[in-house]
Amino acid sequence: MAGDVPTSKKAILFAIFIAFGFLFGYDLGVISGCLIMPDFIRRFGQVDSTGQSYLSSSRQSIIVSLFSAGGALGQAFTSDRLGRRGSILFWTAVFTAGVAIQTGTTYSLAQLVIGRYIAGLGVGALSAIVPLYNGETAPKAIRGTILVMYQVQIISGIFSSYAIELGSHLLNNSASWRIPIGLQMAWGLILLSGMFFLPESPRHLLGTGRSEEARRIIAALNNVPEDDAVVVEIVEELDLAIKAENEGGKATWRECFSSRNAMWRRTTNGMMLQFIQQLNGQNFYYYYGDTFFQNAGAGLSPFVIQAILGAVSVVGTLPAMYFIETWGRRKSLLLGAFGQAVCALIVAIVGHLYLAATGTPISELTPRNKSAGGVVITFAVLQVFIFGTTWGPTPWVYLGESFPLRVRPKSIALGSASNWFWNFMLSFFSPRIVASIGPLIMLVFFGMLVVGFVYTYFFIPETKGITLEEVDELYRSGISAWRSTGWKPSEKHYRHAHAHEHENAENEKRVSGSEDVA
């Protein structure tokens, strides 16, 4: 599409700001650090027979997992009614309120958990609406890169939380955890204030009959006048696509799984990629990497370990902005699944056979324990790095560019809901599984990565370098996923066909009107 100008600075700045991922990633990192802070444990934990405070695995599960228990489906009910921009404002306010409830608690576990649940509703909805907004405003030549920025900022949020807790945990009062948790209100307020200066999605505006406003925004995003040929072509192309999408009446949830335009395939792909992403093993490292490193004899505090994992994640995500457009979506997923599977298998086998038991003093570690620890640390870090480059951002990119305007909010909501549901399941059950089988939990992630490789090869088509409207044509063509890399769109023929149909309809109206006059 001629209007997809890759040098549109406004489009890039809008996308960077809207993907303010500190909201999404920061809490994932901050809560794991709070769980090992003495003041947090004293206030929200239990007391054993010796009078020592502790957090049981079940209480840890509840505190961590309820943040992921809902929200992603909520944006589907607001993104059309309030618009993409209004929906982001609403759910950011919900998130900020939830953070305020958490920060204000003293000894009430119920208040803490309710606050996390409310904040999770906001973040879950935003995790779906942000890829939707970015996918609809970004020029196609850099759409993948811009959507990757979303993941970059999520990982940066995680790393920032680790860095802040590295200092705050030294405080001997509630400030140790109130400061890192309360800072989330700043991220929410920044996004709330900035949204008043960002535009609505042009695709949403055209879909709701606000064509003049859409024209102004398209011109601004592409740095051209409103009457420029670029704007005219984009508006005409989107109008034709929207009319074709709306022929069937109001979209329903059932349509997300209908055979029309292969929607069932597209929605299933989006949900499956998010499911596999959550069971890659990276969140396990975020939550329990400190145990692996301590048993390996690294001699580092959990907060330093978290900072290392966060830094590796950030460094790993940066190359994805380049590889997503050079390798494409399929190659990124395939190479990522293979590389991570190798790492997970090595960590599982070496960790199970040669690592010392949990709690073994460093002075009692054998040379074999320490050698095995070096191997485990190396491949754990490598797996986190590979995830950041491939499976971290790519499922979100795919989710943001795979659906027609008609059902886009609902289908993206389903994909995001899949992500948050499996995040909830992982954070809830991991402590119990680790208590039973230890490092062998990595075999579960190895198996899922094998599934991810196979699923990608047979079912995920390449969507690099094509417009959102051309993605419709790709799926309608019925081409096999493994042959889709060489697929060429014929969008001009599609556009001309609909223009011809529209012209015939207008001619018929004129002829009918002439006959009536006669």
Side-chain angles (χ1 to χ4, degrees):
M1 177 160 80
D4 289 311
V5 181
T7 57
S8 175
K9 294 181 180 179
K10 289 185 178 179
I12 296 172
L13 290 174
F14 289 157
I16 291 174
F17 188 84
I18 197 63
F20 195 66
F22 284 90
L23 285 180
F24 314 111
Y26 186 90
D27 190 274
L28 296 177
V30 80
I31 194 60
S32 61
C34 291
L35 294 178
I36 54 177
M37 291 182 179
D39 188 82
F40 189 89
I41 295 172
R42 181 176 63 84
R43 290 172 182 268
F44 307 112
Q46 300 148 283
V47 179
D48 61 19
S49 57
T50 65
Q52 294 293 317
S53 298
Y54 73 101
L55 276 174
S56 65
S57 59
S58 60
R59 191 162 291 200
Q60 289 183 45
S61 296
I62 293 171
I63 293 173
V64 174
S65 62
L66 277 183
F67 184 80
S68 309
L73 293 178
Q75 68 83 23
F77 299 99
T78 60
S79 59
D80 285 334
R81 185 184 301 255
L82 302 179
R84 293 9 174 187
R85 181 171 167 271
S87 188
I88 291 171
L89 283 168
F90 175 78
W91 289 111
T92 303
V94 171
F95 164 78
T96 306
V99 173
I101 293 172
Q102 294 176 65
T103 308
T105 188
T106 53
Y107 291 92
S108 173
L109 177 64
Q111 182 177 339
L112 176 72
V113 170
I114 289 172
R116 283 188 56 75
Y117 178 74
I118 293 173
L121 289 176
V123 169
L126 288 167
S127 72
I129 193 69
V130 167
L132 171 65
Y133 181 92
N134 273 346
E136 292 183 348
T137 57
K140 72 174 182 181
I142 57 171
R143 187 177 64 239
T145 299
I146 286 177
L147 287 168
V148 167
M149 289 180 186
Y150 174 59
Q151 180 70 14
V152 171
Q153 290 183 290
I154 289 175
I155 298 300
S156 297
I158 294 175
F159 174 64
S160 297
S161 72
Y162 292 161
I164 290 169
E165 288 182 331
L166 189 58
S168 72
H169 85 278
L170 299 174
L171 302 173
N172 294 320
N173 50 46
S174 65
S176 60
W177 56 270
R178 286 189 200 276
I179 290 175
I181 289 179
L183 274 175
Q184 294 174 101
M185 286 188 284
W187 314 146
L189 292 174
I190 290 171
L191 185 54
L192 275 172
S193 60
M195 280 309 301
F196 288 102
F197 302 97
L198 296 184
E200 182 55 84
S201 160
R203 283 179 171 87
H204 172 73
L205 292 173
L206 287 171
T208 53
R210 297 152 66 185
S211 58
E212 288 304 315
E213 189 177 350
R215 192 181 300 273
R216 288 195 298 271
I217 291 172
I218 291 171
L221 290 174
N222 290 280
N223 292 322
V224 295
E226 288 183 37
D227 58 354
D228 192 274
V230 164
V231 178
V232 173
E233 181 180 350
I234 293 175
V235 170
E236 288 180 351
E237 185 168 310
L238 291 176
D239 270 335
L240 288 171
I242 290 168
K243 287 175 182 176
E245 290 166 1
N246 290 337
E247 287 174 354
K250 186 177 180 179
T252 63
W253 289 98
R254 180 179 296 180
E255 187 175 333
C256 295
F257 298 96
S258 69
S259 58
R260 184 173 185 254
N261 288 332
M263 278 310 306
W264 69 272
R265 286 178 55 202
R266 299 157 82 163
T267 302
T268 301
N269 283 348
M271 295 178 70
M272 280 296 295
L273 288 182
Q274 295 292 331
F275 161 55
I276 297 167
Q277 183 208 56
Q278 284 304 302
L279 295 181
N280 266 215
Q282 85 292 340
N283 278 349
F284 173 77
Y285 285 130
Y286 292 149
Y287 294 141
Y288 305 105
D290 59 318
T291 301
F292 268 148
F293 280 85
Q294 286 175 326
N295 291 350
L300 301 175
S301 77
F303 295 97
V304 172
I305 294 166
Q306 288 176 325
I308 291 173
L309 289 173
V312 169
S313 298
V314 172
V315 173
T317 307
L318 294 176
M321 290 189 287
Y322 172 77
F323 291 130
I324 197 70
E325 298 297 355
T326 54
W327 287 353
R329 286 49 161 165
R330 277 178 56 82
K331 193 171 184 179
S332 293
L333 293 172
L334 290 170
L335 290 176
F338 177 80
Q340 286 186 87
V342 171
C343 293
L345 184 62
I346 292 174
V347 169
I349 295 174
V350 175
H352 176 68
L353 294 178
Y354 302 112
L355 279 188
T358 300
T360 301
I362 295 178
S363 59
E364 296 180 13
L365 295 177
T366 67
R368 175 174 289 186
N369 292 150
K370 294 180 179 179
S371 297
V375 173
V376 166
I377 292 171
T378 300
F379 283 94
V381 170
L382 181 59
Q383 184 175 347
V384 169
F385 179 86
I386 296 173
F387 173 84
T389 305
T390 57
W391 275 87
T394 307
W396 289 109
V397 172
Y398 198 85
L399 195 63
E401 64 185 10
S402 293
F403 308 106
L405 176 67
R406 171 181 173 77
V407 295
R408 189 170 296 145
K410 289 182 173 63
S411 292
I412 289 180
L414 288 168
S416 298
S418 174
N419 177 286
W420 287 102
F421 173 77
W422 290 106
N423 185 298
F424 166 77
M425 297 294 284
L426 176 70
S427 58
F428 188 82
F429 286 107
S430 284
R432 295 165 172 80
I433 297 174
V434 172
S436 299
I437 62 175
L440 288 180
I441 191 175
M442 296 306 300
L443 290 180
V444 176
F445 304 130
F446 167 77
M448 285 307 307
L449 287 161
V450 173
V451 170
F453 184 93
V454 174
Y455 189 89
T456 298
Y457 183 83
F458 286 104
F459 298 108
I460 302 298
E462 182 58 69
T463 54
K464 180 187 75 170
I466 60 177
T467 68
L468 298 183
E469 287 67 45
E470 289 166 349
V471 171
D472 289 345
E473 186 184 355
L474 168 65
Y475 273 96
R476 286 197 305 269
S477 71
I479 191 170
S480 301
W482 58 89
R483 296 172 52 208
S484 62
T485 303
W487 179 83
K488 301 296 182 183
S490 57
E491 182 62 28
K492 290 183 179 180
H493 297 147
Y494 168 77
R495 183 168 64 249
H496 290 162
H498 278 274
H500 184 63
E501 291 173 5
H502 181 69
E503 183 180 351
N504 287 342
E506 290 298 319
N507 289 336
E508 289 174 4
K509 288 180 180 179
R510 284 195 293 270
V511 170
S512 175
S514 299
E515 291 174 349
D516 290 341
V517 172

